């Protein structure tokens, strides 16, 4: 995490922002919050399944396409690393203002029932 320290320092400036270090029970933590900031990797599907709107910051080339797809579906708001300082506040305001839209979009993208569909297909083989 090359930006770990700068992110931690940024979060420390605000009473309403929490920075968590290496969580063992991520599901419980995510379930207890309404908004997340993260990368558009595999955790995007976990956030979507829980209906958690997020600000995503693509950190690797392989995250750009998924980020664009999720953004196009109103699941998240993309902020580029180089734009964090200038655009994070407005992205957060937008996410809070339109939280219901983002929440519904997340639930529409991933319903959490994929394992049941896979098992059903396997049972029919």
């Amino acid at each position: 995490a090359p930006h770990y320290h700068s992110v931690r320092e940024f979060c420390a400036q605000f009473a309403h922002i929490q920075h968590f270090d290496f969580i063992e029970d991520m599901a419980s933590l995510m379930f207890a919050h309404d908004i997340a900031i993260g990368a558009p990797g595999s955790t995007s599907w976990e956030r979507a399944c829980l209906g958690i709107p997020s600000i995503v910051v693509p950190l690797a080339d392989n995250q750009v396409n998924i980020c664009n797809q999720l953004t196009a579906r109103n699941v998240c708001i993309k902020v580029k690393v180089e734009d964090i300082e200038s655009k994070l506040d407005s992205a957060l305001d937008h996410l809070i203002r339109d939280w219901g839209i983002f929440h519904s979009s997340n639930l529409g993208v991933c319903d959490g029932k994929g394992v049941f569909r896979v098992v059903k297909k396997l049972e029919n083989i």
Side-chain angles (χ1 to χ4, degrees):
H3 305 286
Y4 175 85
H5 295 290
S6 59
V7 169
R8 186 179 67 194
E9 290 169 12
F10 174 84
C11 294
Q13 298 174 37
F14 303 93
H16 64 284
I17 297 176
Q18 293 176 285
H19 179 266
F20 296 96
D21 290 315
F22 309 104
I23 301 301
E24 289 185 26
D25 185 5
M26 183 59 79
S28 294
L29 177 67
M30 291 171 68
F31 192 68
H33 290 83
D34 298 318
I35 293 173
I37 300 174
S42 59
T43 307
S44 295
W45 305 115
E46 295 167 348
R47 292 188 299 254
C49 185
L50 294 172
I52 302 172
S54 57
I55 296 171
V56 294
V57 182
L59 301 173
D61 291 340
N62 66 339
Q63 296 175 338
V64 173
N65 186 41
I66 188 81
C67 184
N68 292 338
Q69 295 296 320
L70 293 172
T71 301
R73 288 171 176 78
N74 287 323
V75 169
C76 61
I77 297 174
K78 175 173 91 172
V79 175
K80 296 178 183 177
V81 170
E82 60 270 16
D83 294 335
I84 288 175
E85 194 170 324
S86 63
K87 295 186 178 178
L88 187 61
D89 285 344
S90 63
L92 184 57
D93 288 342
H94 180 190
L95 201 63
I96 292 169
R97 183 179 62 247
D98 295 332
W99 186 89
I101 294 168
F102 285 101
H103 174 71
S104 295
S105 296
N106 272 276
L107 294 174
V109 166
C110 185
D111 64 8
K113 297 178 182 177
V115 69
F116 298 110
R117 287 191 287 275
V118 170
V119 168
K120 189 172 182 174
K121 291 283 187 185
L122 290 173
E123 289 175 341
N124 291 329
I125 293 179

